[in-house]
Amino acid sequence: MTDAAVPTAVPTAGTDAPGGRWRGLLTSPVGVAASVLLLAVLVLALVGPTVWGARADAVDTSDLLAGPSSAHWAGTDNLGRDILARVLVATRLSVALSLLAITLAVVVGLVLGSLPFLLGGGRLARLVTAGVGVAVAFPGLLLALFFAVVFGVGATGAVLAIGFAGAPVFARLTQTLVAGVAARDYVAAAQVAGVGRLRVLLRHVLPNVAEPLVVNAAIGAGSALLSFSGLSFLGLGVQSPSYDWGRLLFDGIGVIYVNPAAALAPGLAVLLAGLAFNLFGESIAKTLGVPVVAGALRVPTRRSAAPGAAAAPTPAAAPGDDDLVLDVRDLEVSFAGPHGPVRAVRGVSFGVRRGEAVGIVGESGSGKSMTALAVSQLTGDDARVEASRLQVLGADLRAPAGPQVRRLLGTSLAMVFQDPMTSFNPTRRIGRQLAEVATTHLGMGRREALDRAADRLGSVRIDDPQRRVRQHPHEFSGGMRQRAMIGMGLMGQPALVVADEPTTALDVTVQQQVLDLLADVRAADDVALVLISHDVTVVGEVCDRVLVMYAGRVVEDLPASQLSTAAQHPYTRALVAAVPSMDTDLDRPLATIPGRPVDPAHVPDGCAYAARCPLATERCRVEDPELVTSATGGRVACWHAGEPLPATAVPAAEHDTLVEAP
Amino acid sequence: MSALSFDRVTVRYGRVTVVDDVSLTVPDGEVVGLVGESGSGKSTLARAAVGLVAPASGAITLGGEPVPTRGRHRPVQMVFQDPYSSLDPRMSIGEIVAEALPRGGSRAERRAEVARLLELVHLDPTRAGALPARLSGGQRQRVALARALAARPEVVVADEITSALDVSIQGAVLNLVRELQRELGLSMLFISHNLAVVRYVASRVAVMQGGRIVEEGPTAQVLAEPAHDYTRELLAAVPGRNAP
C-alpha cells in the first residue's frame, strides 16, 4: 500500500548541517504549496470538531437529503445534518487514524529493519531478513483486509491492519538503509571503541538514515489515508455513529443520484489531504536529495571566445607552431555558485608539442582536472568554458563540435580517467567497447574492429588478448582495466593522451606498469601526453615539463629535471619537499605546507598562495603576480621567485585553527 | 604496554582465504610497517586485530592474553583509511572523541580529557563543537587519531591513514604519528602501500603478498637488502627512484 519512494541518498560527510538542508524546503514553489496545504489540513483536524461540531450533529428532520443550498453548501444527509460540516469535522478522525496507522507501520518497520544489525548478521538475522522479504511480496491491501478480519471490524482493527500491512515496506527500507550506513567506517570505529550495538544503532546508524525514512513516512501517511478511507468505505473501518471521510463517502454514494455533492465533498477531502501528504513527502525528498549549492541558477554550457579575441580569425596554427598538438590560451572554467560564479580555472595558457609530456600538479581544488576536462570537452553541462584559443591539432574546440571535429577528437585524443572501475560499461564486453571507437570514427566493420581491439589490448601488454576481448570489465583487475583504457585510446591514431590521475587508485607496483606503458606509447608514436597528478614525484618521473597549478592558475612552468633543484616558486618547492622519498632524513620532521588550499569560491586578492607562503610580503597580499619568464628559463608567477626560503621553523605545538568552510 | 602478536592467524571470507597462516609481532613501543598491494590481506589482518572480523584459526594476543573484542575495554584501537567516512557527519568532533573515552568521570573531567586529546593532535580544543564537514581531510584524520587515543590504547593500528590525503597534508599527519608514538611510547601496526612512508615511521617492516607475510625485519635492513622478489619489485616501484 505504501509506495516506498526511491530512498534518497544516505547523507554523506561533506553535506551541510542538517538544519540548513531542511530550510531549503521553503524555497521551491511546490514545497511551499505542499507545506501550506498540509498545515491547513492539520489545523482543520485540530479545530474542526470544536468549530463545526454542533452544526454537524444538528438533526433537522424538515430538511432531509437536500441538495446544495446557501444554508447547506453540500446539502444534507438522511437525518438533515449539514454534509460540509460533517466533512470538516471528519478531518480529525481521518487524519488522526492515518497518522496512528503510519506511526505503527514505521515503528514496527524500524524494529524489524534494525533487528538484523542488532543481531550481528547471524542465522537469526538472515531469518528476519527473509521473513520481511516474504511479507513485502504480499499485496498490501490484501494484507490489510486479512488483518481487518483478524482484528475485528472497527477503527482499532483498521489501524492495526493498515499499520501492520505497511510495516514490511518500512522494514525493508530500514534494512537497506541501515546496511548502507553500517558499512561505513564510523560504525566500525564505534565498535572498535567498545560501544554496544544498540547504542551504535541509536547514535550512529538511525540518525543517519532518518531523512529518507521521514520522507517515506510522509508519503506513507498519504497512502494510509487512502487505505483507511477505502476500508471505511467498504464498511471495515470506522463504524457509526463515528464517521470519517470513508464512512461519509459510503453514506454519500447511496444518494449520489439525489445529491452528488454528498459523495463529492468527502471524496475531494480525501484527495486534497492525500495530495498534501504526498506532495510534502516528495518535496522533502527533493530538497534533501539535491546538494546544497544546486538551488542556485545554472549557467548553460557555453564555449565562447574570451572578449577581445573574437576578431582574430583562428588559423590552423600560428607560423612556427606547426607541431603544437594542444594550444590553450587564457582558459577560464567557471560554475554557477550560490554567491555568483565560481572560477575553477582562472586564465591558464600552455601548449603541448608533438611527442612532449607535460605534467600538471596541484592539490585538490587547484583546477588541474578542470583544465584537462575542458581540453577533452567533458566539463559537464553546468560549466562555462572560455578561452581566447583552445585548439587540438588545429581544430577550434570553442565552436560547437561538428562531425569532423568529433571524429578528430575520437581518433586523435585519448582520455584516461582516475577510476578504472567506473570508466567501462560493466554490462558490455571489453572488446565491443574498444571496437566502438573504430566502427564509429574509422568506419571499420565489426570483425575488423574486434581484431584491432585484440591487437590493441596486446599492445598494452594484456596477455591472451583474443580471450580477453570477450570478457567483461569485472573480469579485469584494476591495473588491467587502466591498461585497457589506454588501449581504447590507441584504437585510433592518437596524437594526444590526457591522463587524469591515472594511477591514484592503483597499487604502487601496478602504478609503475601503467606509467611505463604511458611512456612507451609516447615514445613509439611520438604521442603528446598531458599527465595530471597530485603527486609531484610521479609527474617528475614521466614528464618533460611540469605545470604547477594553484587556485585555478599556473604558478610555475618548469622542466621536470629542475623540480627538485631549481624550482622558483615557493609553492613548487613546498610540494616537492612534502613528499617523503627513500632518501628523506629520518631524524627531521617532514616539511609541511601550513593552512589549507584556497576555496575556488573565495579566492583572495593578490597572490592566492600568500596566506601559506613563508616569503609573502605586503605586496603579495595586494597584487597578483603575472606568469612571466623566470631566471631559469621557465615561467613563474611570484614576486619573490627563487628567493631562499627561511629556515623551516617547525611549528611544533602550534594549533591548527579550524577554518570555517564557507 | 605489551606486544601485539598474531600467531598463525588465518581469515576466510566464505571460501576465500584472505589471510593465510600469518605470524607477526608488534613489539612493545615499536612501529611495524605492513606493506603489500590491495587484496594482499593487510587490511583484513588489521580488522582482525581489533575484532571487526573473526579469524578462522590462530590467535591474536596482547601481552600473552587474547585481545578483548567485547565490552568497553579495547586496548587495541584503529585509525581508518578514509577520514571522510570514519567520522559520523552528525556528531561534533568533541562528541566523536568523547564517545571513545573509558566510562566514568564527571562531565567536566571528560570535557577536559577531550580538550587534552584535541590539543595532543594539534587541533584547537575550543572548537570541539565543530562538525566534521567543517574540517579538511588532514584535520579529520587528526580527529580520528584523537578518538583512537581516547580509548587509552596499548596498540594503535593505522590502516593507510595518509593515502586518502593530498601529499601536502600527508606530511603533517606523518609528523604527528611519529611525535605521538615517541611521546606516548605507543606500539603501532602501520599499514601502507608506500615504502617511502613506511620507511619514515616504522622501525620494522613486514611485506605481505597473497595473504602471507613474505618478508619481515628491521626497516633499514629490508629496504637495503631485500630478500624476497616481491620486496624488490615494491622498492623498484617507489616513484622518483628512477627519475632522471
Side-chain angles (χ1 to χ4, degrees):
Chain A
M1 39 158 266
T2 33
D3 288 343
V6 181
T8 52
V10 177
T12 50
T15 50
D16 203 9
R21 294 163 28 101
W22 288 93
R23 233 170 283 133
L25 183 64
L26 294 177
T27 56
S28 79
V30 180
V32 173
S35 308
V36 169
L37 201 57
L38 186 65
L39 197 69
V41 170
L42 293 179
V43 167
L44 198 57
L46 272 182
V47 304
T50 345
V51 178
W52 293 285
R55 196 176 148 90
D57 291 335
V59 176
D60 181 1
T61 42
S62 64
D63 199 9
L64 302 179
L65 293 171
S69 65
S70 59
H72 307 289
W73 287 4
T76 56
D77 66 1
N78 52 4
L79 287 176
R81 294 173 296 197
D82 184 80
I83 287 177
L84 181 64
R86 287 174 74 78
V87 167
L88 293 174
V89 170
T91 310
R92 180 184 285 180
L93 194 62
S94 304
V95 170
L97 289 178
S98 332
L99 288 182
L100 219 57
I102 196 68
T103 310
L104 184 68
V106 171
V107 169
V108 174
L110 267 181
V111 172
L112 278 178
S114 310
L115 263 181
F117 176 78
L118 283 179
L119 295 171
R123 188 167 296 173
L124 206 56
R126 283 203 295 277
L127 200 69
V128 174
T129 312
V132 168
V134 170
V136 167
F138 231 78
L141 199 59
L142 206 62
L143 213 57
L145 286 175
F146 169 73
F147 279 131
V149 174
V150 172
F151 294 122
V153 170
T156 324
V159 166
L160 291 174
I162 293 176
F164 281 115
V169 176
F170 277 93
R172 189 39 167 285
L173 183 67
T174 311
Q175 248 173 34
T176 314
L177 293 169
V178 165
V181 172
R184 295 198 151 249
D185 284 343
Y186 56 79
V187 172
Q191 285 172 342
V192 170
V195 181
R197 274 193 174 264
L198 183 62
R199 209 174 148 76
V200 170
L201 181 76
L202 295 179
R203 277 197 88 166
H204 294 286
V205 180
L206 289 185
N208 283 303
V209 304
E211 286 176 3
L213 281 179
V214 167
V215 168
N216 278 283
I219 295 173
S223 311
L225 190 87
L226 289 182
S227 310
F228 220 104
S229 305
L231 280 187
S232 291
F233 180 72
L234 294 176
L236 295 170
V238 175
Q239 300 297 317
S240 287
S242 301
Y243 53 97
D244 69 344
W245 288 332
R247 185 78 212 171
L248 289 178
L249 199 61
F250 173 72
D251 293 341
I253 213 86
V255 293
I256 193 159
Y257 294 115
V258 184
N259 176 18
L264 282 181
L268 201 64
V270 172
L271 178 77
L272 280 179
L275 206 62
F277 280 112
N278 275 322
L279 273 185
F280 185 72
E282 300 280 1
S283 22
I284 16 184
K286 213 167 179 186
T287 314
L288 299 179
V290 232
V292 197
V293 198
L297 48 138
R298 288 201 150 191
V299 183
T301 311
R302 278 233 323 253
R303 295 169 178 276
S304 57
T314 40
D321 282 354
D322 282 345
D323 58 348
L324 265 191
V325 174
L326 175 65
D327 192 359
V328 179
R329 304 262 174 94
D330 307 318
L331 176 70
E332 295 255 349
V333 181
S334 52
F335 295 87
H339 313 290
V342 175
R343 296 168 71 198
V345 178
R346 306 181 296 141
V348 164
S349 302
F350 65 99
V352 182
R353 289 171 190 287
R354 190 166 292 282
E356 190 184 27
V358 173
I360 305 183
V361 290
E363 290 165 280
S364 358
S366 63
K368 55 189 193 304
S369 289
M370 270 305 145
T371 305
L373 291 176
V375 167
S376 42
Q377 305 217 296
L378 293 172
T379 39
D381 288 341
D382 49 351
R384 186 187 170 111
V385 178
E386 286 182 321
S388 64
R389 179 178 289 180
L390 186 57
Q391 294 183 345
V392 171
L393 292 166
D396 194 343
L397 300 186
R398 294 172 303 166
Q404 279 193 324
V405 171
R406 276 207 299 274
R407 187 171 160 189
L408 179 81
L409 289 182
T411 54
S412 52
L413 174 71
M415 185 87 196
V416 183
F417 298 98
Q418 171 170 357
D419 188 355
M421 302 302 157
T422 57
S423 41
F424 278 107
N425 180 343
T427 62
R428 299 184 62 205
R429 295 176 202 278
I430 291 275
R432 285 281 170 75
Q433 299 191 48
L434 260 68
E436 195 171 51
V437 178
T439 48
T440 313
H441 294 301
L442 302 176
M444 281 187 190
R446 230 182 87 180
R447 191 66 254 162
E448 198 186 352
L450 270 177
D451 284 344
R452 181 159 175 85
D455 173 66
R456 296 290 87 186
L457 282 188
S459 78
V460 292
R461 293 189 223 126
I462 288 179
D463 294 334
D464 197 2
Q466 291 296 345
R467 183 173 62 88
R468 288 289 184 180
V469 286
R470 287 194 298 275
Q471 289 186 329
H472 284 95
H474 70 265
E475 293 169 272
F476 278 48
S477 71
M480 272 164 60
R481 268 183 240 196
Q482 205 60 306
R483 275 182 276 163
M485 193 73 207
I486 297 172
M488 193 174 197
L490 297 180
M491 286 299 287
Q493 288 291 331
L496 175 65
V497 176
V498 178
D500 186 4
E501 303 266 10
T503 60
T504 308
L506 303 176
D507 281 312
V508 267
T509 47
V510 184
Q511 162 174 310
Q512 194 59 41
Q513 292 163 10
V514 171
L515 292 179
D516 288 347
L517 178 63
L518 283 174
D520 288 353
V521 165
R522 188 189 145 212
D525 288 320
D526 225 13
V527 177
L529 173 69
V530 174
L531 177 67
I532 291 136
S533 176
H534 71 281
D535 192 339
V536 73
T537 48
V538 166
V539 165
E541 191 177 325
V542 177
C543 297
D544 308 315
R545 203 151 58 85
V546 178
L547 302 175
V548 182
M549 283 191 70
Y550 190 78
R553 296 192 58 181
V554 173
V555 295
E556 186 160 14
D557 173 357
L558 76 170
S561 56
Q562 292 183 0
L563 260 181
S564 52
T565 51
Q568 300 287 302
H569 200 286
Y571 179 62
T572 314
R573 288 186 267 170
L575 267 188
V576 172
V579 185
S581 74
M582 296 307 277
D583 319 305
T584 306
D585 186 348
L586 294 181
D587 299 324
R588 296 185 48 194
L590 287 171
T592 58
I593 307 178
R596 63 197 293 180
V598 169
D599 177 355
H602 299 84
V603 180
D605 290 335
C607 173
Y609 185 59
R612 304 169 78 183
C613 181
L615 296 175
T617 55
E618 199 43 48
R619 185 181 187 190
C620 303
R621 293 185 190 95
V622 185
E623 255 185 284
D624 200 1
E626 291 288 317
L627 188 64
V628 292
T629 306
S630 73
T632 49
R635 295 184 298 164
V636 65
C638 178
W639 298 122
H640 303 283
E643 285 179 23
L645 296 171
T648 39
V650 180
E654 186 190 316
H655 281 135
D656 202 2
T657 45
L658 303 178
V659 191
E660 286 285 336
Chain B
M1 299 280 166
S2 37
L4 175 72
S5 289
F6 297 86
D7 185 21
R8 310 203 58 179
V9 172
T10 298
V11 182
R12 294 197 184 92
Y13 289 135
R15 277 189 208 148
V16 186
T17 303
V18 185
V19 172
D20 188 4
D21 198 23
V22 163
S23 296
L24 178 70
T25 299
V26 181
D28 191 5
E30 283 200 57
V31 179
V32 173
L34 183 59
V35 292
E37 60 194 2
S38 42
S40 63
K42 49 191 199 316
S43 288
T44 303
L45 195 65
R47 294 178 92 85
V50 293
L52 286 174
V53 292
S57 65
I60 304 171
T61 56
L62 184 67
E65 301 289 318
V67 175
T69 55
R70 290 185 168 275
R72 280 302 291 197
H73 180 60
R74 301 292 185 95
V76 180
Q77 283 296 314
M78 178 156 168
V79 182
F80 294 82
Q81 171 172 8
D82 182 3
Y84 288 88
S85 121
S86 69
L87 305 182
D88 188 335
R90 281 165 200 273
M91 286 170 78
S92 74
I93 60 175
E95 287 168 349
I96 289 170
V97 174
E99 188 181 54
L101 286 176
R103 286 223 181 124
S106 68
R107 190 174 277 247
E109 279 168 6
R110 292 173 75 85
R111 193 174 304 148
E113 179 65 6
V114 168
R116 187 187 72 82
L117 287 162
L118 288 178
E119 196 135 2
L120 201 60
V121 295
H122 305 319
L123 287 172
D124 182 355
T126 61
R127 300 300 310 279
L131 288 174
R134 296 267 182 246
L135 272 58
S136 70
Q139 289 172 332
R140 283 162 184 247
Q141 203 55 296
R142 281 186 260 170
V143 174
L145 266 169
R147 169 176 59 193
L149 296 177
R152 313 234 169 87
E154 297 178 41
V155 182
V156 171
V157 178
D159 186 7
E160 300 267 17
I161 57 171
T162 59
S163 64
L165 305 177
D166 250 321
V167 276
S168 55
I169 299 159
Q170 171 180 303
V173 172
L174 289 177
N175 284 342
L176 179 66
V177 165
R178 288 216 325 179
E179 181 190 321
L180 290 175
Q181 195 270 329
R182 280 176 193 169
E183 273 177 21
L184 310 175
L186 281 176
S187 317
M188 276 187 101
L189 181 62
F190 189 92
I191 298 172
S192 176
H193 64 268
N194 188 334
L195 272 179
V197 167
V198 166
R199 172 181 169 272
Y200 191 68
V201 294
S203 53
R204 295 182 72 81
V205 63
V207 181
M208 213 166 166
Q209 187 192 22
R212 291 172 167 270
I213 288 189
V214 295
E215 182 164 7
E216 201 264 337
T219 310
Q221 187 193 324
V222 171
L223 298 189
E225 303 155 17
H228 195 274
D229 281 346
Y230 182 64
T231 316
R232 280 193 281 272
E233 206 179 309
L234 277 178
L235 269 170
V238 174
R241 286 231 109 188
N242 35 4

